[in-house]
């Protein structure tokens, strides 16, 4: 795996809806810009060798960094990939939709639910809206949220940006009824 860049962003929301958020709502995102292991190779039928080579190492790198950056117990999480224009969306999916990647964050957080994801192909500077859900119960509505992330000069055509996002709480000022209560 060739890494060009790693970015870390931590956001704190101190006010929402004109009211203070106490304690401030924290969200952290760590993104790695890597060479796409399949770019330029034409159509690759079997992605498994590249997955085995890259996904476990990438998960092991990003998971502890994002948990440490948050600086608080993780309550919600998500993952994302943006593939540069010389790749396929499937290349990003191959790296993030494997237990060899996601289990690093599940183990680091004590999570048991499916890790929500987004992936796309885009030019450098594209943003992703990373979905987050509660780490142990995906039906907890307050934790259904999204955070925006971007690496200004990535992905270049032969790169992939892979990111993990975590939050220390649900949405600031969440007040929707429990999921299914309106039925």
């Amino acid at each position: 795996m060739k890494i060009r860049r790693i970015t870390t962003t931590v956001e704190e929301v101190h006010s929402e809806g004109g009211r203070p958020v106490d304690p401030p709502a924290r969200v952290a995102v760590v993104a790695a810009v890597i060479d796409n292991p399949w770019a330029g190779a034409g159509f690759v039928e079997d992605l498994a060798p590249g997955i085995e080579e890259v996904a476990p190492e990438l998960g092991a790198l990003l998971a502890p960094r994002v948990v440490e950056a948050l600086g608080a117990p993780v309550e919600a999480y998500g993952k994302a990939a943006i593939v540069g224009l010389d790749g396929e969306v499937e290349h990003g999916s191959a790296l993030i939709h494997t237990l060899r990647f996601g289990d690093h964050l599940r183990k680091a957080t004590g999570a048991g639910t499916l890790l929500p994801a987004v992936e796309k192909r885009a030019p450098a500077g594209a943003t992703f809206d990373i979905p987050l859900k509660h780490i142990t119960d995906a039906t907890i509505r307050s934790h259904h949220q999204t955070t925006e992330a971007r690496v200004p000069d990535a992905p270049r055509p032969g790169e992939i940006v892979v990111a993990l996002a975590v939050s220390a709480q649900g949405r600031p000022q969440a007040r929707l009824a429990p999921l299914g209560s309106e039925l």
Side-chain angles (χ1 to χ4, degrees):
M1 175 174 68
K2 292 183 184 174
I3 300 170
R4 181 170 67 83
R5 185 172 183 176
I6 297 175
T7 64
T8 301
T9 305
V10 177
E11 175 183 324
E12 286 188 355
V13 176
H14 291 261
S15 174
E16 180 71 25
R19 294 181 178 217
V21 176
D22 187 28
R26 292 179 60 88
V27 178
V29 178
V30 175
V33 180
I34 65 168
D35 282 354
N36 181 339
W38 303 285
F43 187 85
V44 177
E45 188 68 40
D46 184 5
L47 301 176
I51 293 168
E52 291 296 321
E53 180 183 333
V54 177
E57 184 179 348
L58 193 55
L61 173 71
L62 297 180
R65 284 179 182 236
V66 75
V67 170
E68 182 181 341
L70 186 64
V74 174
E75 289 189 13
Y77 63 179
K79 61 187 175 184
I82 299 180
V83 179
L85 297 178
D86 285 349
E88 303 172 41
V89 172
E90 189 72 359
H91 298 164
S93 296
L95 295 180
I96 67 172
H97 291 299
T98 173
L99 295 176
R100 298 187 179 289
F101 175 77
D103 272 357
H104 291 280
L105 187 55
R106 280 185 202 87
K107 289 176 184 169
T109 61
T113 59
L114 190 64
L115 190 55
V118 64
E119 61 272 0
K120 66 182 181 180
R121 181 175 47 223
T127 60
F128 23 31
D129 293 320
I130 305 172
L132 291 94
K133 301 234 185 219
H134 195 279
I135 64 170
T136 61
D137 184 350
T139 68
I140 297 176
R141 226 182 226 178
S142 60
H143 287 60
H144 293 196
Q145 56 188 316
T146 305
T147 190
E148 185 176 283
R150 171 180 183 267
V151 180
D153 71 342
R156 292 177 181 165
E159 294 179 333
I160 302 175
V161 179
V162 175
L164 289 176
V166 294
S167 72
Q169 70 296 310
R171 296 182 311 277
Q173 316 297 12
R175 54 197 179 273
L176 295 179
L179 189 65
S181 64
E182 66 274 7
L183 298 176

